[in-house]
Amino acid sequence: MKLRLPCIALLTLASSAFALDGQIGIHDPSTLIKCDGKFYTYGTGGNPLVSDDGWTWRSGTVPLDTGLAPDVIRLGDRYYMYVARNVGGQPGAEITMTSNRTLDPASPDYKWTDKVVVASTNGVEDCNGIDPGVLLDPKTGKLWLTYGSYFGYIRLVELDPTTGRRVDPKARPMDIAINCEAPIMICHDNWYYLLGTHGSCCQGANSNYNIRVGRSRNVAGPFLDHDGLDMMEGGGKLFLGSESRVVGAGHFGRFDLGDGAEVFSYHYEADLDRGGFSVLAIRPLLWRDGWPVAGENAKAGNYMLESVRTGTVLELGVEGVPLTRPRGGPPGFGGPGGGPGGGSPPGAPAASGAAVVGATPPALAPGAPPPAGGPGGPGGPRPPGGRPPRASSGPPIPPQDVTLVSKNWPEGNIATRMANYLDQAQQKWTLSAAPNAGGYPGAPYFKITVAGTDRSLAATAEGELITLPSFTGAPEQLWAVQQLTDGSYRIMPKAVPGAKTPLVLSAVGSGFATLAKFDATSDRQRWNLKGL
């Protein structure tokens, strides 16, 4: 069963972890497709959405053919749309194809061809011919169509990649799975993956849709899950289900962003933070141990930015203030009154009447007695042997107060560098969505600031990094933080002044960071976001 939705304007809520921006009400979205710089998806009932950047969406123009759960693919210089409809009630159905030179209705080339039937079911056989999914096989160049729902089998037929039509309408379709709907195949590392949606749909927050997957070396199967169970026997490894305030994930579609980044589109049957409506969602697609994994879009928060290559972190290029125990704490910890370490660099800020983490304790006046203390404590007698006992614990050392530590930082632009992480203020960064700045598929552009300050990370015309005293919203201060297929992140400015090619954050050695062209074969441009 498919749900037809009205067009619903849905505003982004800060509390919704996966929320796209704009008007995103849709059910059964087609695989994302890009045409002339815009992203498109089409849903059940002729509900199209379009976006300039993959983040903010709006209603589009209804295509010629409308029906159930369409899918769209580009072949050569044309876009082919496959749409299903039930004929005489389920499971009688047919899937039709129509094509266009463009998806932009403002183009003079926008004209859909007449519909052609490419698959059908007669209402008696064990298949409901709906929910088409299309794959152009990168290994053989052949075009395949999967379709079906809970009324029997999921089926596979071959299409002609030059016309989009059925190669042999009389050939018997191949049965490849049961117990699911919205089937679609993808290829990766010489494996074919069949993703299907299990569970019930169209019941709002009571829907239990979830996406499952099996794989095969052969396009016709058998598709086995991680336990070796055939999808013809109801198998399927869980890929994505309900999470937090979003219920019923279904209708997977893969979109390759290039350079090691992929995303997938799908819908939630109900987003509880948006009134329980069915909505479009986009997330990174990862690959682990030969299986697709649902990734995580970057979210607002405080992070250390750690280089995958070096293990060092990005920090502000200032003299750090070490974290040391407050004066009078247990001996042997390091810092004042204990073993090696501790103390602040000259000029470190101090707070009147209070201990400052990382600050050097005041010197004793000439002739003043040492502070009182027990054996081994500061100023107290040492036990036999002359070495104080080493304490095993003490009170927690609080985080540095950046408002105090930053008083010793320069006021103008400050460069960055890489260093080992020491939990110091200059090593902590805040990611927050930049207002009214747009985004990229699945996430907004972020501003990246030193945590607790307005100091903003920016790209320079020389292709280097700098921090500015405040955020202005300029393109060189807007950052895409995209998860790559291995789970690490690529951090890229929206624009670099004067640069003709995109540049990304890159670690050079263990002590310096710059901007460079992304190299998918290297770890230099891969980063871990570790929450603080």
Side-chain angles (χ1 to χ4, degrees):
M1 297 289 292
K2 302 298 165 189
L3 179 66
R4 181 168 184 162
L5 290 181
C7 291
I8 304 167
L10 299 170
L11 300 179
T12 299
L13 300 179
S15 61
S16 185
F18 309 103
L20 295 169
D21 191 26
Q23 186 166 309
I24 60 172
I26 197 170
H27 202 262
D28 311 327
S30 63
T31 301
L32 293 184
I33 193 161
K34 199 171 185 180
C35 175
D36 296 330
K38 294 184 176 65
F39 296 90
Y40 295 83
T41 185
Y42 300 84
T44 285
N47 180 23
L49 299 177
V50 61
S51 173
D52 296 320
D53 58 11
W55 167 247
T56 302
W57 293 81
R58 61 184 181 274
S59 289
T61 299
V62 177
L64 170 70
D65 199 7
T66 62
L68 305 176
D71 201 22
V72 184
I73 189 172
R74 181 176 180 176
L75 301 170
D77 62 353
R78 299 192 70 85
Y79 297 86
Y80 292 80
M81 178 179 289
Y82 296 84
V83 183
R85 63 190 50 78
N86 284 117
V87 180
Q90 299 187 70
E94 66 179 18
I95 297 172
T96 54
M97 179 274 294
T98 183
S99 70
N100 204 324
R101 290 187 63 184
T102 179
L103 300 178
D104 183 0
S107 170
D109 294 326
Y110 185 81
K111 183 179 180 181
W112 292 101
T113 60
D114 292 338
K115 298 181 289 184
V116 176
V117 176
V118 295
S120 63
T121 50
N122 60 19
V124 177
E125 60 191 294
D126 290 329
C127 181
N128 183 16
I130 62 172
D131 291 6
V134 194
L135 167 70
L136 182 63
D137 190 333
K139 295 192 296 182
T140 66
K142 292 184 177 182
L143 185 65
W144 300 98
L145 176 73
T146 53
Y147 60 91
S149 78
Y150 283 100
F151 288 88
Y153 295 106
I154 300 301
R155 287 185 166 168
L156 175 71
V157 296
E158 186 179 355
L159 305 177
D160 186 337
T162 61
T163 66
R165 300 182 181 218
R166 185 85 166 265
V167 168
D168 183 0
K170 295 181 180 180
R172 187 182 186 282
M174 294 171 275
D175 299 331
I176 58 175
I178 60 170
N179 253 11
C180 61
E181 58 187 17
I184 194 165
M185 278 199 293
I186 61 176
C187 286
H188 179 77
D189 282 352
N190 293 316
W191 285 95
Y192 295 94
Y193 295 83
L194 177 63
L195 293 105
T197 303
H198 286 228
S200 62
C201 81
C202 315
Q203 301 175 49
N206 199 39
S207 304
N208 58 16
Y209 248 11
N210 60 93
I211 302 171
R212 294 181 179 267
V213 60
R215 68 181 184 179
S216 174
R217 292 293 188 184
N218 190 305
V219 71
F223 291 93
L224 308 181
D225 65 16
H226 58 307
D227 287 328
L229 185 61
D230 196 332
M231 292 183 75
M232 281 288 286
E233 299 176 355
K237 175 181 170 64
L238 180 64
F239 173 78
L240 183 64
S242 301
E243 297 181 336
S244 185
R245 300 276 294 169
V246 282
V247 176
H251 285 257
F252 173 98
R254 177 196 199 183
F255 187 86
D256 191 344
L257 296 172
D259 282 338
E262 299 180 21
V263 296
F264 66 97
S265 58
Y266 61 109
H267 79 250
Y268 281 114
E269 289 285 321
D271 183 337
L272 303 181
D273 286 330
R274 296 171 180 253
F277 288 104
S278 178
V279 298
L280 176 68
I282 302 172
R283 284 172 69 173
L285 179 62
L286 315 184
W287 293 94
R288 291 177 183 161
D289 301 322
W291 290 98
V293 175
E296 293 286 350
N297 288 308
K299 298 177 178 65
N302 292 335
Y303 299 91
M304 68 170 83
L305 306 181
E306 179 189 72
S307 167
V308 170
R309 178 174 178 268
T310 68
T312 53
V313 301
L314 186 71
E315 71 171 16
L316 194 64
V318 295
E319 190 171 11
V321 178
L323 277 80
T324 58
R325 63 174 180 79
R327 183 169 180 257
F333 189 88
S344 302
S352 176
V356 178
V357 175
T360 303
L364 297 175
R382 290 183 178 270
R387 185 175 182 84
R390 184 167 294 274
S392 60
S393 65
I397 297 178
Q400 287 183 336
D401 185 343
V402 69
T403 59
L404 297 177
V405 177
S406 63
K407 290 179 180 179
N408 200 42
W409 297 351
E411 294 184 357
N413 297 346
I414 303 177
T416 62
R417 66 187 176 209
M418 305 290 293
N420 292 317
Y421 185 73
L422 298 173
D423 199 32
Q424 295 177 5
Q426 76 278 4
Q427 300 178 315
K428 302 177 181 181
W429 301 89
T430 297
L431 271 62
S432 52
N436 305 314
Y440 45 95
Y445 280 111
F446 291 93
K447 64 176 180 179
I448 302 178
T449 55
V450 177
T453 77
D454 293 327
R455 183 165 289 280
S456 175
L457 188 66
T460 72
E462 293 76 26
E464 301 295 347
L465 294 171
I466 199 74
T467 63
L468 307 180
S470 63
F471 177 75
T472 66
E476 60 268 23
Q477 290 179 284
L478 301 175
W479 296 86
V481 185
Q482 296 175 309
Q483 194 171 34
L484 302 173
T485 55
D486 67 352
S488 64
Y489 287 84
R490 176 172 60 200
I491 303 174
M492 179 170 60
K494 183 177 182 180
V496 177
K500 296 181 180 180
T501 58
L503 301 177
V504 301
L505 188 62
S506 178
V508 180
S510 60
F512 181 66
T514 185
L515 296 172
K517 186 177 179 180
F518 182 75
D519 180 1
T521 67
S522 171
D523 285 340
R524 289 188 178 189
Q525 291 92 37
R526 298 175 188 267
W527 299 81
N528 294 321
L529 269 61
K530 295 191 173 181
L532 299 172

